[in-house]
Amino acid sequence: MKKIAIVIILILTACAAPKECCAQDKKIDFKKIFKFGTVYGAVNGGTSLSDEDAFSVTNGLQTSVVETPYDYSMILGIRKMKQFGYQPKEAFKRGTESSFSDAATIGRWENQFEFLFEAEYKRQQGETYFDQHHFIRYVADDGCGLKNCWNHWIAKVEYLKDGFADIEYFEASERYRYNVNGNLSFNIGIAQRLSEPYGYDPLEEWKLSNGNLHYTFLALEEGYTVEFDGEGGVEYFDPSGNTVATSTEVWEAVVIPTTLADYSEKKRDALANVIQHSWVVGFDYYKYTKKSWLHAWGSLMPLHYSDSKNEFSYYNFNEGQWKDYSFGLIYGHWFNKNIGVFVEGKYNKYWNREWHGFSAGINYRVF
C-alpha cells in the first residue's frame, strides 16, 4: 500500500501543474507549496467512563471495581487548506476540531495543492488506536470563463485509518469537473481503492448446514483444550494451559466470543490488500454570505471492477455490483442579529463499513 501511495503522490506532484513543475528548466517550488501551511502538535485528555461496581456470587458475594483509564490523544500534523467563509479563525490548531469541510470534494484554492497529514495516537474508553488521515488535493482551473473548459479537473490521493470506526483504505481519484455556475459543479471520473478484503467472513467455513457455528471445534483447532472429570464437571484451558472456564456457561458466554474475534482478526490480517476500480460521480455546492451559507457535496460509486480471479474481492462476496457513497452538508442561517441555527455533518458508506458525524443547534446572541 505504501509503495503505491508514494508512486501516485509523486506522479500527482510532478504533473498536476505542468507549467510550474514539469518544465525542464524549472524546479518544484516547495516554498510555494507549503506557504500558508500549519504544522501543529497537541496533547489532549479528559475523564473517560466512570468506575463501575461489578458483583460475583460464584464463590460467595464478591465485589470488584471496573476502572476505565482516562482518555487522551497525542496529535501531530501539517495542513494547508484555505478556510471557507463559515469557518472560524482559530488562534491555535489543537487537532480536535470537527472539520467536516475537510471531506469536501473541492477546496477553495484552485491551481494549488491542498493537503493534510495527520496522525493521532489516542486512548478512548479504555481502547487504544493509532489513527491517520492524509490527503493531497489539486483542483485545476484554466480560467477560460466557460463551463466545459478542458482544464477543469480534480485529483486527490487519500489514506484513512479510523480504528474506532474499524475502517482503513487508500484511495486515488481523478475527475473531470463541469461548472454549472459559480456555486454548483458536477464531476465524473474513476477511483482506485486499496483495502483489506472487506466482506470476507472467516467464520463462514465453520458454519454447519443448519446455520449454527461449530465454535468448540474451532477453539480446539486454535489450541484450547477441554477436560472432563467423569462426574459431570468440565474445565477449559487456553493454548498456554491456563484455566479459562469451569462451566459450559462461562465457556460459551465469555471465552468463545473472544476466541471468535481473535480468530477473525488473525485470518483477515493474513490476507493481502485488494485493489478496487470504480466509476465515481459527484457534485459540490458552495454559497456564502455573512447572514447565510450552504455547503454541500457528495460522491457515488455505482459501478465497480475487480479482478475476478481474486476470490477475496468484495465484488465476489457481494455477488455483483453495489453502491458506495459519501456526502456532507454544512448549513447556517442568522434570522436576525440575535438568533440563528446551524446543521452540519457527513456520512460515509464504503463496502460494509459506515462512519459518520453530525452537529446541529441554535444560537441566541444577547445584546
Side-chain angles (χ1 to χ4, degrees), residues 44-268:
N44 304 281
T47 304
S48 186
L49 299 174
S50 61
D51 296 344
E52 182 179 355
D53 293 332
F55 302 95
S56 173
V57 294
T58 303
N59 297 312
L61 179 61
Q62 297 179 348
T63 305
S64 60
V65 178
V66 179
E67 298 181 354
T68 302
Y70 66 90
D71 293 344
Y72 69 86
S73 66
M74 294 180 289
I75 302 173
L76 180 64
I78 176 172
R79 61 186 289 138
K80 177 187 174 182
M81 282 177 282
K82 190 175 182 180
Q83 288 185 318
F84 292 91
Y86 53 78
Q87 290 182 287
K89 294 183 179 180
E90 301 155 347
F92 292 100
K93 182 69 179 174
R94 300 184 302 275
T96 58
E97 299 81 1
S98 180
S99 301
F100 292 114
S101 62
D102 288 354
T105 307
I106 299 175
R108 290 197 67 196
W109 258 323
E110 294 181 336
N111 301 321
Q112 285 198 50
F113 287 103
E114 290 185 297
F115 52 79
L116 168 68
F117 297 97
E118 182 177 278
E120 178 182 15
Y121 183 80
K122 65 181 180 181
R123 182 169 64 195
Q124 185 173 355
Q125 298 182 10
E127 299 290 335
T128 57
Y129 306 99
F130 181 57
D131 293 342
Q132 299 180 64
H133 189 199
H134 316 303
F135 74 77
I136 298 177
R137 176 175 59 201
Y138 191 91
V139 180
D141 190 335
D142 59 9
C144 69
L146 302 176
K147 295 180 179 180
N148 56 346
C149 296
W150 71 271
N151 201 23
H152 286 174
W153 52 271
I154 311 164
K156 186 177 181 180
V157 178
E158 181 177 25
Y159 173 72
L160 174 68
K161 181 180 180 181
D162 188 331
F164 196 74
D166 191 23
I167 185 73
E168 180 181 7
Y169 65 89
F170 169 82
E171 178 180 310
S173 63
E174 309 80 32
R175 314 187 193 194
Y176 172 76
R177 178 168 59 109
Y178 177 79
N179 293 326
V180 178
N181 51 47
N183 305 117
L184 176 65
S185 67
F186 293 95
N187 55 79
I188 184 171
I190 55 175
Q192 305 81 36
R193 291 177 293 173
L194 189 65
S195 70
E196 69 171 81
Y198 291 115
Y200 166 61
D201 183 6
L203 302 179
E204 186 68 31
E205 60 185 285
W206 295 94
K207 288 184 179 179
L208 303 173
S209 58
N210 60 3
N212 294 329
L213 187 69
H214 202 334
Y215 52 81
T216 298
F217 186 64
L218 187 154
L220 295 177
E221 289 291 315
E222 289 299 293
Y224 287 83
T225 55
V226 184
E227 290 187 3
F228 299 92
D229 61 8
E231 299 180 358
V234 63
E235 190 170 2
Y236 300 88
F237 302 89
D238 66 14
S240 300
N242 302 313
T243 300
V244 291
T246 56
S247 68
T248 303
E249 291 76 15
V250 174
W251 169 252
E252 294 180 346
V254 179
V255 181
I256 287 299
T258 301
T259 303
L260 297 182
D262 293 343
Y263 174 80
S264 297
E265 183 178 2
K266 180 183 70 173
K267 294 291 286 184
R268 290 192 182 100

Side-chain angles (χ1 to χ4, degrees), residues 158 167 169 171 175 193 198 299 301 314 322-326 348-355:
E158 181 177 25
I167 185 73
Y169 65 89
E171 178 180 310
R175 314 187 193 194
R193 291 177 293 173
Y198 291 115
S299 292
M301 298 182 186
Y314 190 74
W322 71 98
K323 294 179 176 62
D324 287 342
Y325 50 87
S326 63
N348 301 270
K349 184 179 183 299
Y350 276 12
W351 305 293
N352 59 340
R353 293 291 189 272
E354 299 179 46
W355 65 104

